[in-house]
Amino acid sequence: MDESMNIATKIAKPGSHGFDAGRLARIDDFLRETYIDSGKLANAQILVGRDGEVVHFSSVGAAREGGKPVDETSLFRIASMTKPVTSIAFMMLVEEGKVAVDTPVHHVLPEFRNIGVYNGGGGSVPFVTKPTAEPMRMVDLLRHTSGLTYSFQNRSNVDAAYREGKIENWHGNLDLDGFVAALGQIPLEFSPGEAWNYSVSTDVLGAVVERVSGMKLPEFFRTRIFAPLKMDDSFFAVPADKIDRLTDCYTLVPGKGRVMYDRGAESAWSVMPKLVSGGGGLVSTSLDYHRFCRMCLNGGELDGARIVGRKTIELMTQNHLPGGSDLAAMSKSLFSEAANAGTGFGLGFAVNIDVARSMIPGSVGEYYWGGMFSTAFFIDPVERLTMVFMTQMSPSNTYPIRRELKTMIYSALT
């Protein structure tokens, strides 16, 4: 597969890092035969790292329809892989003593002061609410136990109100402050801490970062995280001189198959959105996100740039679900980027707490997330192993590709 890209990146010998090179190479054939040749995906790129070294990096497929192959410069919409970046940004402010993990959200966002829990109504009937049992705290935003939801969950009168108000529309009439104000007028689905639901929590956390730091989120990311980590190809809006590197993006339409969702050449991601999404707005490359993963694996530091402290990463990557629960017990979500069994949730990451229940090879303490366009990453501190996978196909649960790749990577360890 490597003939499809001009790799300038130094690739370490897999054998010197505890990998069977032949078994790693099987991943390339698998991606091509199962996903690219069949037309299920237009392209795929995978980067496997161990001990901070790239041990496998390959691409297949075209970046754009009829265009050049995907290569290491290709830009991908990473969607919810933005969430760990926003979570790290928040924890940087915690380390500075400006906010705490248990701070009530309304102390920073007063729009949430009187938010109640759904107790009836909706549609043409006014909402009826009851008080929350506990205030929503920052930890609830970080671990998705806030009672907020996503409009695409399609399972309640609350998410219907999100849809009706078009409050998640990036290029609509709301900026981040307007988004928070609108959310403050809609009830929560449940009292904070009582259940888990994949939601706009991390977008709200982005507003917290703005209010506490006094900086706009894109500027905070650029100056405090991306510049120190030399993540020069990560941004909310692709600069004009890099737009030729942005890949096409597809979605699966029942009865039609794979159809174009967003053309790289005239992408919505070429314009700075009015509503900056800390929950899903970033574009990045495999190499940039690999640097983010390396920083996490190194305990918050990379190449002399310390982003957060080692103990902060340890705190973020423990299971914070109440009572040590897992998503199988707590999730009300119709959809998320994680499997539920054996999965806990930390401060911005899903965390593997029971390998046997997950039924995929892995390690206790491994943490991960993915994005709606089927991108994914994981970080395994036990094996000192990282993976970044890029493609552009929604929804991300269309194919079991993450499970397949993870199984193949772990099977290549010697």
Side-chain angles (χ1 to χ4, degrees), residues 39-335:
K40 290 176 180 173
L41 298 177
N43 53 54
Q45 184 173 81
I46 186 165
L47 188 158
V48 181
R50 200 168 196 203
D51 301 313
E53 301 274 348
V54 179
V55 295
H56 185 84
F57 187 22
S58 60
S59 306
V60 66
R64 294 183 178 177
E65 271 186 354
K68 66 180 184 179
V70 165
D71 64 22
E72 65 175 38
T73 69
S74 297
L75 293 164
F76 299 87
R77 302 153 193 81
I78 62 169
S80 289
M81 281 165 57
T82 307
K83 289 180 169 71
V85 181
T86 305
S87 303
I88 286 280
F90 173 81
M91 295 305 292
M92 294 168 78
L93 299 171
V94 170
E95 289 189 337
E96 293 167 14
K98 294 176 176 173
V99 67
V101 174
D102 65 348
T103 298
V105 174
H106 71 264
H107 286 193
V108 176
L109 304 178
E111 297 93 330
F112 278 54
R113 182 175 301 280
N114 298 313
I115 200 164
V117 179
Y118 179 80
N119 200 31
S124 58
V125 181
F127 281 121
V128 178
T129 64
K130 58 186 178 184
T132 61
E134 292 285 335
M136 186 195 301
R137 296 183 169 90
M138 299 301 175
V139 67
D140 294 307
L141 297 178
L142 287 154
R143 70 186 180 187
H144 294 284
T145 55
S146 63
L148 297 166
T149 188
Y150 265 129
S151 59
F152 61 72
Q153 293 282 4
N154 280 322
R155 56 177 190 76
S156 73
N157 286 345
V158 175
D159 62 53
Y162 284 34
R163 287 192 300 280
E164 187 181 348
K166 297 185 170 65
I167 65 170
E168 294 168 59
N169 187 339
W170 294 355
H171 297 282
N173 58 348
L174 298 178
D175 60 9
L176 197 46
D177 289 334
F179 170 76
V180 169
L183 281 174
Q185 301 301 310
I186 301 173
L188 301 175
E189 288 200 342
F190 50 83
S191 198
E194 289 183 359
W196 189 93
N197 185 44
Y198 194 36
S199 73
V200 297
S201 288
T202 319
D203 292 281
V204 175
L205 195 68
V208 171
V209 171
E210 287 200 347
R211 301 269 180 103
V212 172
S213 70
M215 296 171 71
K216 291 298 183 184
L217 198 62
E219 182 69 4
F220 190 100
F221 280 10
R222 188 179 66 78
T223 59
R224 301 288 309 274
I225 300 174
F226 297 154
L229 291 179
K230 299 183 173 64
M231 292 173 64
D232 300 329
D233 286 325
S234 300
F235 19 66
F236 284 103
V238 182
D241 63 347
K242 295 186 177 183
I243 196 68
D244 61 314
R245 294 162 47 192
L246 182 63
T247 50
D248 285 341
C249 190
Y250 300 86
T251 191
L252 187 74
V253 175
K256 289 186 179 177
R258 175 164 65 87
V259 301
M260 187 68 71
Y261 174 79
D262 181 71
R263 286 192 189 278
E266 55 247 21
S267 175
W269 278 259
S270 66
V271 181
M272 183 60 77
K274 183 163 187 179
L275 175 60
V276 174
S277 172
L282 286 175
V283 170
S284 191
T285 63
S286 291
L287 287 171
D288 263 20
Y289 212 86
H290 174 57
R291 291 189 68 80
F292 181 79
C293 292
R294 283 175 63 199
M295 177 275 292
C296 293
L297 187 63
N298 284 350
E301 181 271 342
L302 182 65
D303 296 341
R306 178 155 297 281
I307 305 300
V308 289
R310 174 173 61 87
K311 299 301 284 187
T312 295
I313 294 288
E314 287 181 18
L315 177 67
M316 293 180 77
T317 57
Q318 294 177 41
N319 181 23
H320 286 260
L321 294 181
S325 188
D326 71 354
L327 296 187
M330 284 199 72
S331 178
K332 292 180 176 295
S333 203
L334 280 188
F335 169 81

Side-chain angles (χ1 to χ4, degrees), residues 355-409:
V355 177
R357 289 195 67 207
S358 78
M359 294 191 280
I360 313 171
S363 301
V364 170
E366 157 222 333
Y367 52 102
Y368 66 95
W369 203 240
M372 71 175 289
F373 302 116
S374 303
T375 62
F377 78 96
F378 72 79
I379 300 168
D380 182 339
V382 178
E383 296 289 349
R384 306 281 303 165
L385 176 64
T386 60
M387 180 209 76
V388 177
F389 175 71
M390 297 289 198
T391 187
Q392 299 282 259
M393 178 70 172
S394 72
S396 60
N397 59 357
T398 304
Y399 305 116
I401 191 165
R402 295 171 181 174
R403 184 184 75 209
E404 293 161 345
L405 291 173
K406 194 161 175 270
T407 300
M408 296 182 85
I409 290 166

